[in-house]
Amino acid sequence: MISVQEDPVLLRLLDQALALRLNEFVDTQELQNQIETKFKILFETIDENDPLLDDLNELYEEYSDTKQHENSAIVVYYMIELNDYLTKLAELLEIDLKREAS
Protein backbone atom coordinates (compact mmCIF):
# COMPACT_ATOMS: atom_id res chain seq x y z
CA MET A 1 0.00 0.00 0.00
CA ILE A 2 1.25 3.52 -0.85
CA SER A 3 1.54 5.90 2.07
CA VAL A 4 0.51 9.47 1.28
CA GLN A 5 3.01 10.77 3.82
CA GLU A 6 5.88 9.07 2.00
CA ASP A 7 4.89 10.28 -1.47
CA PRO A 8 5.25 14.07 -1.85
CA VAL A 9 3.69 14.05 -5.33
CA LEU A 10 0.60 12.26 -4.07
CA LEU A 11 0.43 14.56 -1.06
CA ARG A 12 0.62 17.64 -3.33
CA LEU A 13 -2.12 16.25 -5.60
CA LEU A 14 -4.31 15.55 -2.59
CA ASP A 15 -3.72 19.08 -1.29
CA GLN A 16 -4.64 20.59 -4.68
CA ALA A 17 -7.77 18.43 -4.93
CA LEU A 18 -8.84 19.58 -1.49
CA ALA A 19 -8.15 23.20 -2.50
CA LEU A 20 -10.42 22.80 -5.52
CA ARG A 21 -13.14 21.46 -3.25
CA LEU A 22 -12.63 24.32 -0.77
CA ASN A 23 -12.85 26.84 -3.61
CA GLU A 24 -16.42 25.67 -4.21
CA PHE A 25 -17.30 27.06 -0.78
CA VAL A 26 -14.76 29.86 -0.37
CA ASP A 27 -14.27 32.72 -2.79
CA THR A 28 -10.50 33.10 -2.38
CA GLN A 29 -10.42 36.42 -4.26
CA GLU A 30 -13.04 37.88 -1.92
CA LEU A 31 -11.17 36.44 1.05
CA GLN A 32 -7.95 38.10 -0.15
CA ASN A 33 -9.78 41.40 -0.59
CA GLN A 34 -11.15 41.21 2.96
CA ILE A 35 -7.74 40.37 4.41
CA GLU A 36 -5.97 43.15 2.52
CA THR A 37 -8.62 45.71 3.51
CA LYS A 38 -8.30 44.69 7.16
CA PHE A 39 -4.51 44.96 7.00
CA LYS A 40 -4.79 48.40 5.41
CA ILE A 41 -7.22 49.67 8.07
CA LEU A 42 -5.07 48.25 10.87
CA PHE A 43 -1.92 49.81 9.40
CA GLU A 44 -3.69 53.18 9.12
CA THR A 45 -5.07 53.03 12.65
CA ILE A 46 -2.29 51.58 14.79
CA ASP A 47 0.19 54.17 16.05
CA GLU A 48 3.53 54.00 14.25
CA ASN A 49 5.37 53.71 17.59
CA ASP A 50 3.30 50.76 18.75
CA PRO A 51 5.39 47.53 18.80
CA LEU A 52 2.30 45.72 17.52
CA LEU A 53 2.94 47.37 14.16
CA ASP A 54 6.18 45.39 13.74
CA ASP A 55 4.33 42.14 14.40
CA LEU A 56 1.61 43.17 11.97
CA ASN A 57 4.25 43.93 9.31
CA GLU A 58 5.77 40.47 9.79
CA LEU A 59 2.35 38.87 9.53
CA TYR A 60 1.64 40.82 6.33
CA GLU A 61 4.94 39.72 4.80
CA GLU A 62 4.14 36.09 5.65
CA TYR A 63 0.69 36.49 4.12
CA SER A 64 2.16 38.08 0.98
CA ASP A 65 4.53 35.15 0.56
CA THR A 66 1.83 32.52 0.93
CA LYS A 67 -1.15 34.06 -0.88
CA GLN A 68 0.33 33.24 -4.28
CA HIS A 69 -0.29 29.54 -3.54
CA GLU A 70 -4.07 29.80 -3.36
CA ASN A 71 -4.42 26.45 -5.14
CA SER A 72 -3.29 24.84 -1.89
CA ALA A 73 -5.84 23.76 0.69
CA ILE A 74 -3.39 24.62 3.46
CA VAL A 75 -3.10 28.21 2.18
CA VAL A 76 -6.88 28.59 1.81
CA TYR A 77 -7.30 27.36 5.39
CA TYR A 78 -4.52 29.75 6.52
CA MET A 79 -6.31 32.65 4.82
CA ILE A 80 -9.60 31.80 6.54
CA GLU A 81 -7.86 31.68 9.92
CA LEU A 82 -5.91 34.90 9.22
CA ASN A 83 -9.11 36.71 8.26
CA ASP A 84 -10.70 35.65 11.57
CA TYR A 85 -7.57 36.64 13.49
CA LEU A 86 -7.49 40.13 11.95
CA THR A 87 -11.16 40.61 12.79
CA LYS A 88 -10.56 39.60 16.42
CA LEU A 89 -7.48 41.82 16.64
CA ALA A 90 -9.46 44.81 15.39
CA GLU A 91 -12.24 44.08 17.89
CA LEU A 92 -9.69 43.88 20.71
CA LEU A 93 -8.17 47.20 19.64
CA GLU A 94 -11.66 48.65 19.12
CA ILE A 95 -10.96 49.44 15.47
CA ASP A 96 -13.93 49.73 13.14
CA LEU A 97 -13.34 47.46 10.13
CA LYS A 98 -16.58 48.52 8.50
CA ARG A 99 -15.17 51.90 7.51
CA GLU A 100 -13.47 52.35 4.17
CA ALA A 101 -9.71 52.20 4.04
CA SER A 102 -8.24 55.37 2.60
Side-chain angles (χ1 to χ4, degrees):
M1 183 186 310
I2 297 175
S3 171
V4 172
Q5 296 162 330
E6 295 173 7
D7 188 344
V9 173
L10 187 57
L11 186 59
R12 188 170 39 250
L13 288 173
L14 206 58
D15 181 52
Q16 289 174 348
L18 184 55
L20 289 173
R21 186 75 173 126
L22 271 173
N23 285 333
E24 292 178 20
F25 302 101
V26 177
D27 180 351
T28 53
Q29 186 58 51
E30 177 59 27
L31 189 57
Q32 282 184 1
N33 291 344
Q34 288 177 15
I35 290 170
E36 290 175 18
T37 298
K38 289 175 184 178
F39 267 121
K40 190 169 187 175
I41 291 170
L42 288 166
F43 281 131
E44 291 173 355
T45 309
I46 296 174
D47 184 80
E48 63 184 36
N49 296 321
D50 192 326
L52 178 61
L53 199 56
D54 292 335
D55 294 337
L56 196 61
N57 274 318
E58 284 181 39
L59 189 58
Y60 185 76
E61 287 175 22
E62 179 183 303
Y63 162 71
S64 296
D65 291 342
T66 59
K67 74 177 179 180
Q68 62 194 359
H69 303 289
E70 66 184 56
N71 62 337
S72 166
I74 295 167
V75 172
V76 173
Y77 178 76
Y78 165 78
M79 288 171 47
I80 292 168
E81 289 297 311
L82 177 61
N83 191 39
D84 289 344
Y85 171 79
L86 293 174
T87 300
K88 289 175 184 167
L89 177 62
E91 288 172 1
L92 180 69
L93 298 173
E94 298 178 355
I95 295 173
D96 180 16
L97 292 175
K98 291 182 177 44
R99 71 175 179 87
E100 291 291 317
S102 53

